[in-house]
Amino acid sequence: MLFAVSLPFLNEIVALFLVSVLIAYVCYRIKLVPIAGFLIAGVIIGPNALGLVQDQELVDMLAEIGIILLLFTIGIEFSLEKLSRIRNAIFVGGGLQVLLTVAAVVGILFFFGVDWKVGIYTGCLVALSSTAIILGLFSEQGKTDTPVGRLSLAVLIFQDLAIIAMVLLVPILSGQSDSLTDLFFVLGKAVLLIAVVVLLARKVVPWILEKVAQTRRQELFLLTVIAICFGTAALTNLAEVSLALGAFLAGLVVSESHYSDHAISEILPLKTIFNAVFFVSVGMLLDLQFVIENPLLLLGVAAGVLLLKFILSSVSLLTLGYPVRVAAATGIVLAQIGEFSFVLERAGRVTGLTPGGFGEVGSQTFIAVSVLLMLLTPLFLHISPNIGNLLAKTPLKHIGQKRKEAEKDDSHTDLEDHVIIVGYGPAGRNLARVLRESGIPYIVIEMNPESVNEMHENDIPAIYGDASRTHILEHAQISKAKLCVIAINDPAISPRIIKLANYINPTIQVIVRTRYLSEADFLEKAGADIVVPEEMETTVRLFSNVLKAYMIPDEEIEQHIRELRAEDYEIMRGSIQEAHLMVLQGLDEEGLHTRAVVVREGSFAAGKTLADLKLRNKYEITVLTVNRGEKNVGNPSGDFKLQPGDRLVMVGLATRFADAAEIFRESEDSLDVGD
């Protein structure tokens, strides 16, 4: 007789994910961010509504894993060098934000007769912002490394450090302890831990990851990254330091290696799952009955917290000399109550402390206001540039002027109109040499760690990672790329890269290398624009098609090909000095900014006129020619109706092609590839 294994919490897990998917899908259809959907799902399935999930402790444990993975990936995206550049923002800006917020709340509550100890406790609750939501939104929108993203991270890092001291202060504020010794002891351990992490980041972990990467076993690499993530978090937990801070430090450790981008791409699916659980867990805390009975109270408190945090966060950054535009935009982004405030609130409840000293009413008000402000955070991020620009036009605009130069120095130039080369074997290596000598921008994606190290030593832009992963292609800035050349010989992975590249950037041209001519039809059906079999002079065809895309005259390309054949490819095998023969005299702005895109079945463009697409007026893109079968239509009129299979030759800036991607993108259902 067979006995099935019973999982007591299985039904609750099913309910959690099923309702979350349904509500997140509805939010997607009505243009709400997924985070809002997960918070609403938590409210619905929680014990205070339908009660589909009663085990709050189980959900909290899964949510803690989500926070660890989120902070780990954020740590990877930053480096010790980047953090050193914002150290003043961390310790001065973040410190002022926390101290000013706590002082303001103490003053307000003291006016209403609340004891100063309760005021400090409540001020600590209000001072913290949502690390998970803010950094999650920045990461999702690619804004982590913007001035507002960096300053937000700086303040959030200090808040995560401060939560250690805040939790230790709770017994003192409640009267259960009078000693500050424990507080200073734990803070000392935190400083020591950070020093150890810096040492590991510089010396140990990059060596470990390189050895693991050399095995070329993806499952071993993923397990190693997970071990580093949770291992560091466990060490910080033993030292009685925040788990989230430990996860962030673990990410910093990995960020110092060449394999950081690949590590993110491997861990992203896990982060997505557990991060969703975190937001559901926050929503489950909300009591709908209390919200219905006290709407004016909650709206008033939420407005007060929003205004207070916006002003004080902005002022804290203005004291460092940052422009009003940047400080105000950062201030509105930080104007909510964070997830670690719930940890602090639970710690206070055990000792008899409640928000504002109002007992259960105070606790429910705190939870409801926190969830409401979290739901509004995507809106805060969306309007933050407008808030910053609006205040920058006021008399405050002269504040922070001296910081502009430092902000300018911290910027970096993005790639655009570049070639993405997948694979650094003989064909990819030769193509990279031609592009480098020709002055055409490019970046290489490669899975061989030795090749990546070689490229970094020779100042060749390279990423270690799997090009069939969304994160890796996005890190190569594929949305603004002109060409993607798949120079590897892997018929299993090439179609995935082709489909993903065309989905992210429908205006990109994809050139693929394959071994046999018989595979050409299969790859073309997958979306490849040009397939170059090895049987047909792979290397020559690869770079000749690239040069054609940059509008190099045909006679010049033919001359290069004749020279290669006549000299038995000695140019491609020769020294860098000999490669000067491939320097392009015809490269110009027109060649850089032209794109050819196929109108695909299921895209928005199919069946629309050029006037409907508003390419010229909205995106500043001009259609030069439309190719339909054997017919070429030059300078087509606005009433020209596009059909699936039409090929448009257009000219415009790379950033504008990225903005217009939605017009030519196929439906998501056609994207049959994993992340």
Side-chain angles (χ1 to χ4, degrees):
M1 183 176 180
L2 297 176
F3 296 92
V5 177
S6 176
L7 294 176
F9 53 82
L10 181 60
N11 291 338
E12 293 184 310
I13 292 292
V14 170
L16 186 153
F17 283 111
L18 186 60
V19 175
S20 298
V21 167
L22 290 174
I23 295 179
Y25 178 76
V26 171
C27 288
Y28 166 77
R29 301 301 299 181
I30 61 177
K31 307 298 183 183
L32 275 178
V33 293
I35 288 173
F38 297 136
L39 287 169
I40 295 169
V43 173
I44 293 174
I45 68 175
N48 298 312
L50 297 181
L52 299 178
V53 177
Q54 295 288 339
D55 194 345
Q56 180 74 43
E57 185 177 352
L58 168 66
V59 178
D60 287 344
M61 286 191 295
L62 295 175
E64 193 70 36
I65 296 175
I67 293 174
I68 289 172
L69 292 172
L70 172 66
L71 270 295
F72 178 66
T73 56
I74 297 301
I76 293 178
E77 291 179 353
F78 274 78
S79 65
L80 296 173
E81 181 185 354
K82 287 181 181 178
L83 287 181
S84 69
R85 292 203 298 266
I86 59 172
R87 59 185 179 275
N88 286 337
I90 294 174
F91 295 105
V92 180
L96 276 175
Q97 184 271 330
V98 171
L99 290 175
L100 289 176
T101 304
V102 172
V105 172
V106 170
I108 293 170
L109 292 179
F110 185 77
F111 180 78
F112 289 100
V114 177
D115 183 73
W116 65 271
K117 292 182 179 179
V118 175
I120 290 177
Y121 168 70
T122 307
C124 291
L125 293 176
V126 175
L128 301 176
S129 303
S130 178
T131 303
I133 293 181
I134 295 172
L135 296 187
L137 287 171
F138 275 128
S139 179
E140 181 181 310
Q141 298 179 23
K143 296 180 178 179
T144 304
D145 205 21
T146 62
V148 174
R150 289 191 293 272
L151 286 180
S152 299
L153 174 67
V155 175
L156 292 169
I157 288 174
F158 185 87
Q159 291 179 2
D160 288 346
L161 288 168
I163 186 66
I164 305 167
M166 291 176 180
V167 171
L168 293 172
L169 273 175
V170 168
I172 299 173
L173 295 174
S174 64
Q176 296 185 4
S177 173
D178 296 322
S179 175
L180 291 173
T181 305
D182 291 341
L183 174 61
F184 290 110
F185 179 66
V186 172
L187 289 177
K189 286 193 291 184
V191 172
L192 179 62
L193 179 66
I194 292 173
V196 171
V197 166
V198 171
L199 178 64
L200 291 174
R202 296 293 190 191
K203 303 294 183 183
V204 181
V205 171
W207 179 83
I208 292 174
L209 288 177
E210 181 162 355
K211 294 300 180 185
V212 172
Q214 287 173 354
T215 66
R216 311 290 288 273
R217 303 295 301 183
Q218 295 308 303
E219 65 277 12
L220 180 58
F221 186 88
L222 175 60
L223 287 172
T224 304
V225 171
I226 291 291
I228 292 171
C229 172
F230 286 94
T232 308
L235 285 175
T236 59
N237 192 46
L238 289 175
E240 298 180 327
V241 178
S242 163
L243 274 174
L245 178 62
F248 179 78
L249 292 175
L252 280 181
V253 167
V254 175
S255 75
E256 294 301 303
S257 75
H258 297 323
Y259 313 107
S260 56
D261 295 305
H262 187 54
I264 291 181
S265 69
E266 290 293 310
I267 209 169
L268 272 178
L270 291 174
K271 187 202 81 170
T272 301
I273 294 171
F274 287 103
N275 211 29
V277 176
F278 161 73
F279 294 116
V280 171
S281 72
V282 172
M284 288 175 62
L285 297 172
L286 186 64
D287 186 346
L288 281 178
Q289 185 66 32
F290 181 82
V291 173
I292 294 171
E293 293 175 355
N294 303 278
L296 295 180
L297 170 66
L298 298 180
L299 289 175
V301 174
V305 171
L306 171 62
L307 188 62
L308 181 71
K309 294 200 69 174
F310 167 59
I311 293 173
L312 296 181
S313 297
S314 302
V315 168
S316 300
L317 296 173
L318 285 173
T319 59
L320 291 174
Y322 285 98
V324 171
R325 174 181 57 82
V326 176
T330 307
I332 193 68
V333 169
L334 294 169
Q336 80 287 109
I337 295 175
E339 58 277 354
F340 294 118
S341 294
F342 293 105
V343 176
L344 191 60
E345 192 271 338
R346 282 195 290 266
R349 191 182 303 176
V350 172
T351 63
L353 288 173
T354 57
F358 298 120
E360 186 61 26
V361 172
S363 296
Q364 284 301 320
T365 301
F366 160 75
I367 292 171
V369 168
S370 299
V371 172
L372 175 60
L373 291 177
M374 284 181 173
L375 281 168
L376 291 175
T377 301
L379 174 63
F380 297 161
L381 180 58
H382 179 70
I383 66 173
S384 61
N386 297 330
I387 296 291
N389 291 331
L390 180 65
L391 290 179
K393 297 176 182 178
T394 68
L396 295 172
K397 64 184 178 181
H398 299 295
I399 301 176
Q401 292 296 309
K402 61 183 179 181
R403 194 75 191 187
K404 284 187 175 180
E405 287 303 314
E407 187 182 320
K408 182 179 179 181
D409 292 339
D410 202 27
S411 63
H412 62 277
T413 303
D414 290 335
L415 284 169
E416 59 179 37
D417 288 314
H418 57 290
V419 181
I420 297 175
I421 304 173
V422 179
Y424 198 63
R429 193 177 294 256
N430 289 330
L431 178 57
R433 179 185 297 177
V434 170
L435 295 176
R436 189 171 192 175
E437 292 300 310
S438 303
I440 295 175
Y442 70 97
I443 190 168
V444 182
I445 300 175
E446 173 58 61
M447 284 289 291
N448 186 330
E450 294 178 357
S451 297
V452 172
N453 288 335
E454 176 193 334
M455 284 186 279
H456 285 151
E457 290 172 1
N458 294 311
D459 295 325
I460 296 173
I463 299 172
Y464 176 86
D466 182 354
S468 66
R469 298 297 184 105
T470 302
H471 174 81
I472 296 299
L473 288 179
E474 288 178 343
H475 189 69
Q477 302 188 59
I478 192 171
S479 62
K480 294 186 287 185
K482 180 180 175 71
L483 295 174
C484 177
V485 179
I486 304 174
I488 58 175
N489 185 18
D490 190 340
I493 205 71
S494 291
R496 292 166 55 87
I497 301 173
I498 295 167
K499 291 180 180 180
L500 192 57
N502 278 319
Y503 178 76
I504 299 173
N505 181 2
T507 68
I508 201 168
Q509 187 175 11
V510 181
I511 303 173
V512 190
R513 167 200 174 195
T514 185
R515 180 169 295 175
Y516 303 112
L517 186 61
S518 59
E519 296 171 345
D521 287 343
F522 172 70
L523 293 171
E524 286 177 353
K525 288 179 181 177
D529 295 284
I530 299 171
V531 179
V532 183
E534 288 182 2
E535 299 166 318
M536 299 175 66
E537 303 176 275
T538 302
T539 304
V540 172
R541 286 287 304 280
L542 277 175
F543 80 73
S544 66
N545 280 298
V546 170
L547 300 187
K548 284 181 181 179
Y550 282 86
M551 301 186 72
I552 306 307
D554 288 341
E555 58 271 16
E556 184 179 342
I557 297 174
E558 287 299 323
Q559 179 185 349
H560 292 320
I561 292 175
R562 285 195 299 271
E563 289 173 349
L564 288 174
R565 289 170 174 160
E567 299 178 27
D568 195 21
Y569 300 96
E570 281 300 318
I571 293 176
M572 301 303 289
R573 294 199 295 259
S575 64
I576 292 295
Q577 286 75 18
E578 290 174 310
H580 75 277
L581 295 173
M582 304 305 298
V583 174
L584 310 177
Q585 299 174 355
L587 186 61
D588 55 21
E589 284 299 309
E590 185 180 5
L592 279 172
H593 297 303
T594 55
R595 298 285 176 90
V597 59
V598 175
V599 177
R600 303 184 189 279
E601 187 76 47
S603 67
F604 175 80
K608 300 290 194 304
T609 66
L610 291 175
D612 293 335
L613 302 186
K614 302 178 182 178
L615 289 172
R616 186 190 295 273
N617 296 333
K618 186 175 181 180
Y619 301 103
E620 299 173 340
I621 294 172
T622 301
V623 179
L624 303 176
T625 306
V626 177
N627 173 262
R628 179 176 292 171
E630 300 293 325
K631 182 180 178 183
N632 286 316
V633 180
N635 297 316
S637 61
D639 58 359
F640 186 89
K641 191 172 185 179
L642 299 176
Q643 299 176 3
D646 286 351
R647 190 177 188 87
L648 281 66
V649 179
M650 304 176 290
V651 63
L653 296 176
T655 52
R656 306 306 284 156
F657 280 115
D659 295 337
E662 288 291 341
I663 293 176
F664 301 103
R665 182 172 290 141
E666 291 184 271
S667 65
E668 205 164 342
D669 297 335
S670 65
L671 185 65
D672 186 22
V673 297
D675 191 16

